Amino acid sequence: MSTPIPAVTFADPAPAERLERAAAALTAHGFTVEILDDAAAARARVKDLIPEGSSVFTGASETLRLSGIEEDINASGRYRAVRPRVLAMDRVTRADDIRRLLASPDVAMGSVAAVTETGSLVVASASGSQLPSYAGGAARAIWIVGAQKVVPDLSTALRRVEDHCLPLESARARVAYGQPSAVNRLLILNAEFLPGRGTVLLLREAIGF
């Protein structure tokens, strides 16, 4: 008699030992990693990590929104926030300016769809607007990652994107933009080339998609 294989639950926070494995692997791949208790701790830590007056781009992220970090960056006046500036520009006549602003801020902030215990970050996007800055255009990148996003390996990460993240993001996009989302672009970060450039704040709690 065969034993049924339990379904992977992508919404449950990973236990401490899995967080530690992911953190160790990411560190070995050149990322700076901190394990924090919750979103409140990440919100406080971000204020220490980003110098006042920096140009900061926040990618569309439920994690940033729910944690309050999005509002801190874009509405506090502490930083030169890129997103509000871009939203105020005409997308036809200022397309080149928008592209440059999004691609090379001092700091890019967001989250990821999955982080693997083997040390990779996976980012899915419909428009791709955040990907150039994440991949290397920004001088620094900071990702806030809930514990439910930790998965064993890359194949599971890709399944999490399709089976878990996409339906939730599509539901959000229908409300926000009147149309569903799609995985049109996928960025896999296997290592950080420049020491100190990429920071992962890995939370012990679940937050975001």
Side-chain angles (χ1 to χ4, degrees), residues 48-67:
D48 296 331
L49 290 173
I50 305 178
E52 188 170 351
S54 299
S55 64
V56 186
F57 168 53
T58 55
S61 164
E62 281 295 282
T63 299
L64 294 192
R65 185 185 68 81
L66 293 169
S67 66

Side-chain angles (χ1 to χ4, degrees), residues 97-155:
D97 294 328
I98 291 172
R99 174 174 52 80
R100 294 186 185 100
L101 284 169
L102 296 180
S104 57
D106 295 330
V107 182
M109 286 206 64
S111 189
V112 300
V115 55
T116 73
E117 292 176 48
T118 53
S120 296
L121 302 174
V122 177
V123 185
S125 178
S127 70
S129 61
Q130 78 276 44
L131 301 188
S133 61
Y134 285 8
R140 294 182 63 197
I142 301 172
W143 297 282
I144 317 298
V145 184
Q148 84 280 14
K149 299 183 179 184
V150 175
V151 298
D153 50 36
L154 191 56
S155 63

Side-chain angles (χ1 to χ4, degrees), residues 17-191:
E17 60 269 21
R18 293 183 59 205
L19 295 181
E20 293 288 351
R21 280 199 295 271
L26 288 167
T27 300
H29 292 176
F31 296 96
T32 300
V33 185
E34 299 180 27
I35 298 179
L36 304 175
D37 282 338
D38 51 30
R43 187 177 185 180
R45 185 68 179 118
V46 163
K47 292 178 181 178
D48 296 331
L49 290 173
I50 305 178
E52 188 170 351
S54 299
S55 64
V56 186
F57 168 53
T58 55
S61 164
E62 281 295 282
T63 299
L64 294 192
R65 185 185 68 81
L66 293 169
S67 66
I69 293 172
E70 180 182 79
E71 184 177 4
D72 290 344
I73 298 298
N74 293 326
S76 68
R78 179 180 175 88
Y79 312 102
R80 290 183 289 123
V82 172
R83 179 169 288 277
R85 184 177 173 186
V86 165
L87 290 175
M89 292 180 172
D90 184 279
R91 301 189 72 84
V92 175
T93 62
R94 303 290 302 279
D96 284 344
D97 294 328
I98 291 172
R99 174 174 52 80
R100 294 186 185 100
L101 284 169
L102 296 180
S104 57
D106 295 330
V107 182
M109 286 206 64
S111 189
V112 300
V115 55
T116 73
E117 292 176 48
T118 53
S120 296
L121 302 174
V122 177
V123 185
S125 178
S127 70
S129 61
Q130 78 276 44
L131 301 188
S133 61
Y134 285 8
R140 294 182 63 197
I142 301 172
W143 297 282
I144 317 298
V145 184
Q148 84 280 14
K149 299 183 179 184
V150 175
V151 298
D153 50 36
L154 191 56
S155 63
T156 312
L158 297 177
R159 187 150 51 89
R160 187 178 195 278
V161 169
E162 293 287 348
D163 295 350
H164 181 78
C165 299
L166 180 58
L168 293 172
E169 176 58 19
S170 281
R172 186 198 72 83
R174 284 189 180 94
V175 174
Y177 314 123
Q179 62 185 34
S181 188
V183 182
N184 291 330
R185 289 163 172 81
L186 196 66
L187 175 67
I188 300 173
L189 299 166
N190 288 322

